[in-house]
Amino acid sequence: MVAVKKICCIGAGYVGGPTCSVIAQMCPKIKVTVVDVNEARINAWNSDRLPIYEVNTPTKTYGMGKGRAADLKYIEACARRIVQHSNGYKIVTEKSTVPVRAAESIRRIFDANTKPNLNLQVLSNPEFLAEGTAIRDLKNPDRVLIGGDETEEGQKAVHALCAVYEHWVPKERIITTNTWSSELSKLAANAFLAQRISSINSISALCEATGADVEEVARAIGMDQRIGNKFLKASVGFGGSCFQKDVLNLVYLCEALNLPEVARYWQQFIPEVNQTPLFTLLQICDFLVEVIDMNDYQRRRFASHIIDSLFNTVTDKKIAILGFAFKKDTGDTRESSSIYISKYLMDEGAKLHIYDPKVPREQIILDLSHPGVSEDDQVSRLVTISKDPYEACDGAHAIVICTEWDMFKELNYERIHKKMLKPSFIFDGRRVLDDLHNELQVIGFQAVTAAEDTALTCVTTGEKRCLHLESKDEFSRVWLMLFFRISSAT
């Protein structure tokens, strides 16, 4: 069997850095080297301040497949450089989320540039890391997936990579497949997770309209062993680099493989450009099977209720945005719900004061200055980056929690309330303050959570009022539609 003695990782991002750190720690006899075209990034890894960057496979922003297909130009450039500088026997492993059959493209480049003394084997070894817990996920993974050719040479390469992981991962958690199955499994896993999050968010909208509690519904659903309780937390929507990108990739893949029925199934989950907010129960019903569109809807709905609660206008009002990363314990802002909620509030003229403990000021400004998010001088006029949460909340009309940082549970809300305009609102987009509602009520806050904002609960009075339920007839039509949908499905 081939024994791996040296590993070179191309790309010092969220995947490359943690993965190679763990391999180096768990396999001390293997020399691990990480390289990157960005010299500043390598210097940062070798400094006391580790970088938060990502070298990934972005979605195309041009030409055929724009907005959906993966942009493989960096993968191709990597493959050409590998074949140019390599000799002897090498195992080339793709870690980035790539479309199915990307390994075949890499292999074709290798085959077209063969050298007498070069033997390159291509494997797929997708990562299943969650940001904020990457090291833990690497050291104690649910599974390690390795895909390779079903030839004798391909299987030798698979076994060699398995041997690396077997230094710390039990053999029964290492799954070996063909290359295509490995690539597709990564896309499918992210698509299923995205679908699950949007499903519980759609149910939260129905709960709000009927008086049900989405937390109780989620708990009841999650106790069904066939379903489980993971990813059943209603919120303002998912973010991050993978979920939306991989659903888009899946649609494009189905179209490219002439599978129109499958493409149409996933296509319904992609948001329409410039879609207006939807609030009625009939429209909610239409969203019950949508994923990305439901995610966009959940963000718009949350932002709309902020505006509604602040007397239907946020123009020139100071609003504190607490949290900008797409989830806690990471500085990653890609597809963060904070970006979209900030956009909707900026469009209404709100003055945003943003605080996040890990996201640099430059990244927040960059994200909000994107042409699809803001126009002209909106950011310079309306956005201020605060150095701490108390500064952000000082003189604010409302607080909007967009990231579930633990520190937000421990803030001195009595101190914050004294310096806010009255009435003082808290909009908890991540339900991190559920256990503090009684305390907030005593202080004098009016609080709204992401999963309860259609049946707004003003904790100062306990009053509930249902919004946007247009008629009993409409309510009846919704349940009639649901009945027929369930009947036809069974």
Side-chain angles (χ1 to χ4, degrees), residues 97 128 143 183-199 231 238 242-251 254 265-266 269 289-292:
T97 304
F128 297 97
R143 78 285 202 199
E183 291 177 331
L184 182 57
S185 294
K186 170 65 175 181
L187 283 180
N190 281 340
F192 271 59
L193 290 174
Q195 187 181 50
R196 190 176 173 96
I197 293 170
S198 282
S199 293
F231 282 76
F238 57 75
C242 293
F243 286 176
Q244 178 158 319
K245 179 186 72 174
D246 288 352
V247 174
L248 292 166
N249 256 341
L250 206 53
V251 171
C254 295
Y265 172 78
W266 290 105
F269 304 148
V289 292
E290 298 177 4
V291 174
I292 295 177

Side-chain angles (χ1 to χ4, degrees), residues 63-331:
M64 295 180 64
K66 175 182 177 181
R68 293 180 296 172
D71 191 341
L72 296 181
K73 64 182 179 183
Y74 301 111
I75 299 290
E76 179 183 346
C78 248
R80 293 187 183 279
R81 180 164 290 193
I82 289 170
V83 77
Q84 178 184 354
H85 295 286
S86 296
N87 55 65
Y89 181 85
K90 298 287 185 297
I91 300 172
V92 178
T93 304
E94 56 176 26
K95 293 288 292 183
S96 295
T97 304
V98 294
V100 180
R101 306 194 82 85
E104 182 179 30
S105 300
I106 295 172
R107 187 178 293 104
R108 288 175 62 189
I109 293 172
F110 289 166
D111 291 344
N113 296 273
T114 54
K115 295 186 287 189
N117 63 338
L118 181 61
N119 181 358
L120 295 172
Q121 293 296 318
V122 182
L123 301 181
S124 168
N125 176 215
E127 50 82 19
F128 297 97
L129 310 179
E131 291 187 42
T133 60
I135 298 298
R136 185 178 68 196
D137 296 340
L138 285 161
K139 288 188 172 182
N140 187 29
D142 293 331
R143 78 285 202 199
V144 171
L145 182 58
I146 301 172
D149 287 351
E150 295 176 313
T151 62
E152 183 178 349
E153 285 293 310
Q155 290 304 297
K156 283 182 180 179
V158 169
H159 293 320
L161 186 54
C162 285
V164 173
Y165 283 107
E166 286 170 8
H167 280 82
W168 76 95
V169 180
K171 286 186 178 181
E172 60 269 19
R173 293 190 191 178
I174 302 175
I175 304 171
T176 59
T177 68
N178 67 40
T179 312
W180 325 131
S181 295
S182 176
E183 291 177 331
L184 182 57
S185 294
K186 170 65 175 181
L187 283 180
N190 281 340
F192 271 59
L193 290 174
Q195 187 181 50
R196 190 176 173 96
I197 293 170
S198 282
S199 293
I200 194 62
N201 280 339
S202 73
I203 296 301
S204 78
L206 192 56
C207 286
E208 292 156 13
T210 60
D213 185 327
V214 71
E215 291 288 299
E216 294 176 348
V217 173
R219 185 164 63 251
I221 293 171
M223 291 182 72
D224 188 324
Q225 293 183 2
R226 298 167 300 175
I227 298 172
N229 60 5
K230 303 295 185 182
F231 282 76
L232 289 180
K233 187 75 171 178
S235 69
V236 291
F238 57 75
S241 65
C242 293
F243 286 176
Q244 178 158 319
K245 179 186 72 174
D246 288 352
V247 174
L248 292 166
N249 256 341
L250 206 53
V251 171
Y252 189 73
L253 173 66
C254 295
E255 291 175 344
L257 296 176
N258 195 27
L259 298 170
E261 293 83 4
V262 182
R264 279 196 297 272
Y265 172 78
W266 290 105
Q267 181 75 46
Q268 68 183 327
F269 304 148
I270 299 173
E272 298 293 331
V273 177
N274 296 325
Q275 177 187 354
T276 56
L278 302 177
F279 296 101
T280 67
L281 282 175
L282 280 176
Q283 290 164 317
I284 290 171
C285 188
D286 289 337
F287 275 78
L288 285 173
V289 292
E290 298 177 4
V291 174
I292 295 177
D293 214 5
M294 171 55 72
N295 202 50
D296 184 53
Y297 161 71
Q298 192 80 343
R299 292 162 171 168
R300 290 178 181 271
R301 192 161 60 95
F302 185 64
S304 293
H305 288 319
I306 294 172
I307 298 166
D308 288 347
S309 299
L310 293 177
F311 315 107
N312 292 313
T313 179
V314 292
T315 303
D316 292 329
K317 291 181 178 178
K318 177 178 178 178
I319 297 179
I321 304 290
L322 298 188
F324 202 79
F326 86 90
K327 70 173 188 176
K328 70 175 184 177
D329 298 331
T330 180

Side-chain angles (χ1 to χ4, degrees), residues 361-396:
R361 177 187 186 280
E362 297 76 15
Q363 185 62 52
I364 296 174
I365 297 299
L366 179 65
D367 288 335
L368 294 182
S369 299
H370 190 278
V373 176
S374 62
E375 299 177 355
D376 302 326
D377 61 344
Q378 262 189 321
V379 174
S380 61
R381 287 189 298 106
L382 300 175
V383 175
T384 300
I385 310 303
S386 300
K387 65 178 184 295
D388 64 60
Y390 296 102
E391 180 185 88
C393 298
D394 190 358

